Amino acid sequence: MAVTSTDRQYMAQALRLAAKGRYTTDPNPNVGAVIVQSGTVVGEGYHHQAGDGHAEVYALAQAGARAMGATCYVTLEPCSHFGRTPPCATALVAAGISRVVIAMLDPNPLVAGKGVAMLEQAGIDVVSGVMEAEARALNPGFLSVMERQKPWLRLKLAASIDGRTALANGQSQWITGPAARADVQFYRAQSSAILSTASTVLADNARLTVRQPDSDVAITALKNGELRQPLRVILDRRQQLTGRELLFSSAGPVLLCVAPDTPLRNMPSQVEHQVVPVNADGYFDLMALLQLLTVRQVRSIWVEAGATLAGALLQQKLVDEFILYQAPLLLGPQARAMAELPELTKLSQANRFTFTDISQLAPDLRLTALLSGADRV
């Protein structure tokens, strides 16, 4: 059956529902579902958080008997396996759904076409690929881990017009204004982990927590009445942190990364140590770190750090998305640069990005860019 404008209309509704879970579903993907019977929406739902029902389950519960003979629009292929919840494909079959329209197939090897096969074997008409690009944009972290076996990494920097992040004496608070700093909180809230360094924690006395929930953006509270706090991953190769910093007095887990054979200091109870290999230069092996975080079901990483880590990530082409908050200031050539990079002799050696969004946040700009696909690891 051909895809119609009506199909796209209802899929767009399912995508809007899926986006409601973007602060709470991690490590699961964001998924929305809409059930339509004779031109009327009879059920809708979205996945709220890992362990809860999937989008189709909520939509079917709302539709009840009206699901018989209806069409279900869902942003991700219905699951076909038993995880924390039963298979959604089985539930759609049992409810008597006659047609399923899917935005994208699930790259998870546990599903990967099996959900579609289960539906088709039951005689259900299945259409896939409707608004697939929009569905993929909702779940960059989940898709990155499933397709590339590494988390999606966003590098955030705040800089002046001339690309400086701090004065020569280290002063950087605040280059950008309140609107830009509030915007950062929404990216933190969507991330599995926040990656930083001991040097940054000490320089900024940073907590690295989500602190500004906004009901207008629907940051949803979890069962304990608190926001989900991302895992804070701190590189502390030289054992600079003592456990008395503000970072450790704030809610949420901390993963303190140390070099092999490093004596471990006593830390607060929410702190876990992770031994990370070092390279020949004595710095952490960043790809090894990403692999360790993947095993921990970290899907997306938000990086807030200084020029050294930013430069290393860029040089190794580990940055997928670059988000720059640019303030209308000029700090001069003696101020600190955004990233420590080796001197280039040819423009062809530079990392190439593609701008995907430019937004104004009060006096500041937010520039969003993706690393060229040819350069991405």
Side-chain angles (χ1 to χ4, degrees):
M1 186 181 295
V3 176
T4 67
S5 59
T6 300
D7 288 332
R8 286 187 282 272
Q9 171 192 335
Y10 289 125
M11 185 59 76
Q13 184 172 341
L15 288 164
R16 289 192 295 272
L17 286 167
K20 290 185 175 183
R22 64 191 183 277
Y23 300 107
T24 56
T25 63
D26 187 80
N28 286 0
N30 302 309
V31 184
V34 174
I35 296 175
V36 179
Q37 175 64 267
S38 304
T40 301
V41 174
V42 296
E44 61 180 28
Y46 68 95
H47 183 46
H48 293 252
Q49 65 182 45
D52 284 359
H54 290 185
E56 301 95 318
V57 172
Y58 286 108
L60 288 170
Q62 193 175 103
R66 294 174 293 177
M68 180 67 69
T71 296
C72 178
Y73 296 86
V74 61
T75 60
L76 185 68
E77 178 183 5
C79 61
S80 55
H81 65 289
F82 281 88
R84 296 186 186 183
T85 59
C88 290
T90 302
L92 293 171
V93 171
I97 291 288
S98 64
R99 181 171 181 252
V100 176
V101 180
I102 301 168
M104 63 169 291
L105 299 181
D106 191 340
N108 185 341
L110 295 174
V111 185
K114 299 181 182 71
V116 168
M118 186 178 291
L119 296 172
E120 290 179 335
Q121 287 168 6
I124 295 174
D125 179 37
V126 179
V127 178
S128 62
V130 179
M131 302 184 73
E132 180 174 357
E134 292 85 346
R136 289 186 65 88
L138 277 174
N139 292 299
F142 174 78
L143 295 176
S144 181
V145 168
M146 292 299 165
E147 296 173 348
R148 304 188 301 159
Q149 292 72 56
K150 67 178 286 290
W152 184 262
L153 193 143
R154 290 184 172 106
L155 173 63
K156 169 261 180 184
L157 290 169
S160 59
I161 292 175
D162 52 348
R164 303 292 168 167
T165 60
L167 298 179
N169 62 12
Q171 183 181 347
S172 63
Q173 296 181 326
W174 296 101
I175 288 178
T176 55
R181 298 199 298 274
D183 191 66
V184 168
Q185 300 298 323
F186 303 130
Y187 281 101
R188 286 183 179 183
Q190 294 177 61
S191 303
S192 305
I194 299 171
L195 174 62
S196 191
T197 66
S199 296
T200 295
V201 169
L202 293 171
D204 298 339
N205 201 15
R207 291 184 177 88
L208 299 174
T209 53
V210 181
R211 298 190 300 278
Q212 293 178 304
D214 186 332
S215 59
D216 292 338
V217 192
I219 297 182
T220 309
L222 296 186
K223 292 178 181 177
N224 62 1
E226 297 178 354
L227 287 172
R228 179 188 64 83
Q229 290 292 344
L231 174 68
R232 291 167 290 169
V233 180
I234 311 299
L235 306 183
D236 190 13
R237 184 170 48 89
R238 298 194 301 272
Q239 294 271 295
Q240 294 176 270
L241 300 180
T242 65
R244 297 187 295 272
E245 293 79 8
L246 280 179
L247 175 85
F248 303 107
S249 63
S250 305
V254 176
L255 187 67
L256 206 57
C257 296
V258 298
D261 302 320
T262 300
L264 302 182
R265 289 181 174 177
N266 289 327
M267 286 286 173
S269 59
Q270 77 270 35
V271 177
E272 182 180 353
H273 288 90
Q274 173 67 64
V275 176
V276 178
V278 296
N279 57 29
D281 296 324
Y283 293 100
F284 282 124
D285 183 331
L286 296 176
M287 179 56 82
L289 172 62
L290 295 185
Q291 292 169 346
L292 288 167
L293 293 176
T294 299
V295 172
R296 289 176 172 268
Q297 292 196 307
V298 168
R299 308 301 197 201
S300 61
I301 300 172
W302 176 255
V303 182
E304 293 191 33
T308 301
L309 180 58
L313 291 168
L314 288 166
Q315 187 177 351
Q316 296 176 43
K317 301 185 185 299
L318 298 177
V319 175
D320 297 302
E321 192 171 2
F322 183 36
I323 298 179
L324 174 64
Y325 294 91
Q326 193 165 42
L329 303 171
L330 290 170
L331 299 184
Q334 301 306 316
R336 299 185 181 183
M338 287 192 290
E340 293 179 3
L341 293 169
E343 182 178 357
L344 305 182
T345 57
K346 299 178 182 178
L347 284 176
S348 60
Q349 296 171 328
N351 285 342
R352 291 284 180 177
F353 288 83
T354 301
F355 284 115
T356 58
D357 181 71
I358 301 175
S359 299
Q360 185 151 6
L361 302 171
D364 306 316
L365 295 179
R366 182 189 65 211
L367 310 178
T368 305
L370 295 178
L371 183 63
S372 166
D375 290 335
R376 196 176 303 162
V377 174

